[in-house]
Amino acid sequence: SEQVVRLVFPWFILGGAVLAAQHNRHIGVAVLVNRLGPQMLRRLQILVHLVIMVSCTIVFDFAISITMEDESMYTLIGIGQFWSYLALVIGYALLALTTLTNLY
């Protein structure tokens, strides 16, 4: 059913994003990166990781509030939408943790 897809889709998407981040396979601009020296490249990487951390924190905070407030249900399968929103909480927490580990 469509509701099953809505339930698992966020888990697949965020699981893939976390795996891509862990293996450093996220989208990058090779033309820019290839022209930078090692020191400038490291500075850019730190800046990008800090931006990612701030973004993850904002989305994580938003996801927590949605997860706790929403009492909607997938009526056909009898499961709360809480489980879909929980993917955002866990996914962005794991992305933030991965970003922290990639900084070092």
Side-chain angles (χ1 to χ4, degrees):
S1 115
E2 172 211 350
Q3 291 183 351
V4 173
V5 173
R6 286 186 182 199
L7 175 66
V8 298
F9 187 72
W11 290 97
F12 286 134
I13 296 301
L14 287 162
V18 170
L19 284 173
Q22 288 176 345
H23 295 282
N24 216 12
R25 297 287 185 200
H26 48 79
I27 297 172
V29 182
V31 173
L32 175 64
V33 172
N34 292 340
R35 292 183 181 198
L36 296 175
Q39 285 184 341
M40 202 56 188
L41 178 60
R42 183 66 184 145
R43 288 181 187 152
L44 179 62
Q45 289 172 334
I46 291 171
L47 176 66
V48 167
H49 282 89
L50 290 175
V51 169
I52 292 171
M53 283 298 300
V54 169
S55 300
C56 285
T57 302
I58 291 169
V59 174
F60 179 82
D61 185 51
F62 179 70
I64 288 277
S65 64
I66 288 176
T67 303
M68 294 302 162
E69 294 172 7
D70 194 307
E71 296 179 7
S72 302
M73 296 284 291
Y74 291 117
T75 55
L76 292 176
I77 58 176
I79 295 175
Q81 289 184 2
F82 163 86
W83 296 104
S84 290
Y85 297 132
L86 188 61
L88 294 172
V89 174
I90 293 171
Y92 279 94
L94 289 174
L95 281 172
L97 182 62
T98 298
T99 300
L100 277 175
T101 60
N102 286 342
L103 268 171
Y104 297 104

